[in-house]
Amino acid sequence: MNTTSSVSSDDAVISTNDDATSCKYSAMKLGYFKDDYVIYFAKAREKRAPLINRGYYTRVASFRKCISTFIGNGGKQIIALGAGFDTNYFHFFDSLPDDFKYLELDFPQVVSMKSSILQKQPKFSKFLQGASITDSGEISTGRYFLRGVDLRHLDSASSTILSCIDPTQPTLFLSECVLIYMSVEESSALLRWISETFASAGMLLYEQIHPHDAFGQTMQKNLLSRGCPLLSLMRYPTISDQKDRFISLGWTHVDALDMLQVWDNILERADNRRAEHLEMFDELEEWRLIQSHYCLVL
């Protein structure tokens, strides 16, 4: 079976946001991590399998640790590419300096849905104080910006980013299974633009690797059947390829780990031990296999 396609369905890619949000809700509900906000975005709230819950713990915990480090080291801005229903801004709000800026970008229809939830739920009122909100749901508070844009169109994406963010300030970009749904040409253009435009930029990228073995083939087929093929996976199949990708596009300091290495070397061991005792878990080999097929580039 051919596991590649040249296009993704926008609706199918958008649906991955709903899946991820529901998985995060399941892990949160079982105590893998604290998140007071994901409940407002989760459309499906059934308990997920232990493999999925532990996987999302690793995903969320790694992003939070890296974001916390960036803030603690004097970072000034975060740009979440394809942010979906991500809740990191709300989670970190109380620890952000008053001059910190946080920009979330996603398809206009996702932005409209997220904005509607933020406006309707009293839980989010403190984040929207003094906000300017457009008819399409775009939000500006001076600290938080929510914008609808197609990242595949660099002209509109770049102008949107620069209308909210100062490229001279230290900036962290987040990409959580986003660039992999764009063509190699589209994602490369965006990454090169960032490296050439921002004086001090970092990237935190989470996406799939190792497409050639049996699990990698199955992973691709499942997503292809849903209309969202992994468009750049074959071009960047390994950690080494991911490093070379960024270096070739003008990024000077790049590291990459698979999620097993993240578990062992980045996450706090005490937190991992606590997570290990939350559910019965007898799928260690399958867990290791899945985690080895995802990477964190930073």
Side-chain angles (χ1 to χ4, degrees), residues 117-145:
I117 293 168
L118 296 180
Q119 293 177 66
K120 289 178 180 178
Q121 294 294 338
K123 184 76 170 179
F124 297 101
S125 60
K126 76 172 185 177
F127 307 115
L128 301 182
Q129 292 181 5
S132 171
I133 304 176
T134 68
D135 292 342
S136 62
E138 294 189 333
I139 296 174
S140 303
T141 71
R143 299 178 64 187
Y144 174 68
F145 304 88

Side-chain angles (χ1 to χ4, degrees), residues 140-160:
S140 303
T141 71
R143 299 178 64 187
Y144 174 68
F145 304 88
L146 179 63
R147 294 288 187 271
V149 69
D150 189 333
L151 295 171
R152 296 169 297 189
H153 301 151
L154 182 58
D155 286 347
S156 58
S158 59
S159 62
T160 297

Side-chain angles (χ1 to χ4, degrees), residues 26 30 32 46-55 279 281 283:
S26 174
L30 289 166
Y32 280 89
E46 69 269 16
K47 180 181 181 295
R48 300 302 178 104
L51 270 174
I52 294 176
N53 292 325
R54 189 181 290 191
E279 297 182 272
F281 196 87
E283 303 159 302

Side-chain angles (χ1 to χ4, degrees), residues 10 13 79-84 103-109 111 147-161 173-191 193-194 203:
D10 291 353
V13 172
I79 300 175
L81 305 173
L103 168 62
E104 295 185 336
L105 303 170
D106 212 314
F107 286 116
Q109 53 266 53
V111 165
R147 294 288 187 271
V149 69
D150 189 333
L151 295 171
R152 296 169 297 189
H153 301 151
L154 182 58
D155 286 347
S156 58
S158 59
S159 62
T160 297
I161 291 171
F173 287 79
L174 310 178
S175 176
E176 194 174 346
C177 290
V178 176
L179 298 188
I180 201 161
Y181 294 121
M182 299 165 62
S183 72
V184 171
E185 294 75 19
E186 291 161 346
S187 63
S188 294
L190 178 59
L191 289 173
W193 176 80
I194 294 170
M203 172 68 72

Side-chain angles (χ1 to χ4, degrees), residues 176-226:
E176 194 174 346
C177 290
V178 176
L179 298 188
I180 201 161
Y181 294 121
M182 299 165 62
S183 72
V184 171
E185 294 75 19
E186 291 161 346
S187 63
S188 294
L190 178 59
L191 289 173
R192 184 176 295 281
W193 176 80
I194 294 170
S195 72
E196 293 176 348
T197 304
F198 282 76
S200 177
M203 172 68 72
L204 188 57
L205 176 141
Y206 171 90
E207 60 186 37
Q208 296 89 338
I209 52 174
H210 298 317
H212 300 298
D213 62 14
F215 182 86
Q217 291 286 315
T218 299
M219 178 174 64
Q220 292 179 83
K221 290 175 184 177
N222 288 341
L223 286 164
L224 182 61
S225 71
R226 294 172 54 184

Side-chain angles (χ1 to χ4, degrees), residues 80-97:
L81 305 173
F85 292 160
D86 186 77
T87 60
N88 276 315
Y89 174 71
F90 315 117
H91 176 77
F92 283 103
F93 180 81
D94 290 333
S95 64
L96 296 178

Side-chain angles (χ1 to χ4, degrees), residues 66-76 170:
C66 293
I67 291 171
S68 180
T69 299
F70 174 74
I71 296 169
N73 288 340
K76 294 296 186 182

